[in-house]
Amino acid sequence: MDPIDNPRARTAAVRALEAEFGELISRFRRVLSENANRVSPGMLPGAYKVLTTIARKEQVTLSHLADCLMADKGQISRAVRELEALQLVTRTPDPEDGRSSLISPTAFGLERLSVARAPQEGALLKALDAWSLADIENLSRMLHALSAGETP
């Protein structure tokens, strides 16, 4: 019987995958927490995630930021105010919508992010050093399919 047709084997494999994701998520949360603390002592991981998203997008509205992070606009607004108070981001009027602002990282914010990320810089490269390029590309393809709800 093909493993794809064996419901017990499939359930066991999915449970094992779920456990591995749990470990990966726990490790990722630790990294986020450590990085947040390096940006600014006491910064919560959620605010750090908001900052990294703003830095990645370069310029973003509050609404788009909330959509990207699948979070409540009020929660994101509080995090942005915290980041502004720390001079890590700035708001400018949105030229396309006078009721809205564009949020951008400051040079200081980008510098703090760089400092915060330095200890983990290259960790993924190092962890995957012995992997073949094909295996890395396959993992990337499979994770994309999983997160998009597609069949690889």
Side-chain angles (χ1 to χ4, degrees):
M1 179 184 273
D2 188 344
I4 199 164
D5 297 326
N6 183 335
R8 283 191 180 142
R10 189 172 195 76
T11 298
V14 169
R15 286 182 181 159
L17 178 62
E18 180 183 36
E20 291 302 322
F21 274 128
E23 290 297 318
L24 185 62
I25 289 167
S26 292
R27 187 169 185 198
F28 184 67
R29 283 182 177 155
R30 275 193 302 278
V31 167
L32 284 179
S33 184
E34 291 167 1
N35 284 1
N37 216 28
R38 279 191 287 274
V39 168
S40 180
M43 177 182 277
L44 296 175
Y48 176 79
K49 185 65 180 152
V50 171
L51 177 60
T52 60
T53 303
I54 293 168
R56 189 176 63 254
K57 300 285 185 183
E58 296 178 359
Q59 267 192 341
V60 64
T61 64
L62 193 63
S63 293
H64 186 66
L65 190 56
D67 289 344
C68 289
L69 294 170
M70 293 185 283
D72 177 76
K73 239 172 125 175
Q75 178 185 14
I76 298 298
S77 183
R78 285 187 294 280
V80 168
R81 281 194 305 273
E82 176 187 342
L83 297 172
E84 279 182 300
L86 293 169
Q87 300 180 339
L88 300 170
V89 301
T90 187
R91 290 184 208 227
T92 55
D94 184 345
E96 295 179 17
D97 182 354
R99 302 165 296 167
S100 186
S101 296
L102 295 174
I103 306 159
S104 306
T106 62
F108 177 66
L110 293 173
E111 176 189 324
R112 295 305 307 150
L113 270 178
S114 179
V115 167
R117 289 172 166 162
Q120 279 85 29
E121 198 81 13
L124 189 56
L125 279 170
K126 186 176 179 180
L128 298 174
D129 190 49
W131 288 39
S132 72
L133 181 58
D135 285 343
I136 295 168
E137 290 170 341
N138 190 43
L139 177 60
S140 180
R141 183 179 62 79
M142 300 290 271
L143 286 174
H144 174 78
L146 181 62
S147 67
E150 301 169 353
T151 302

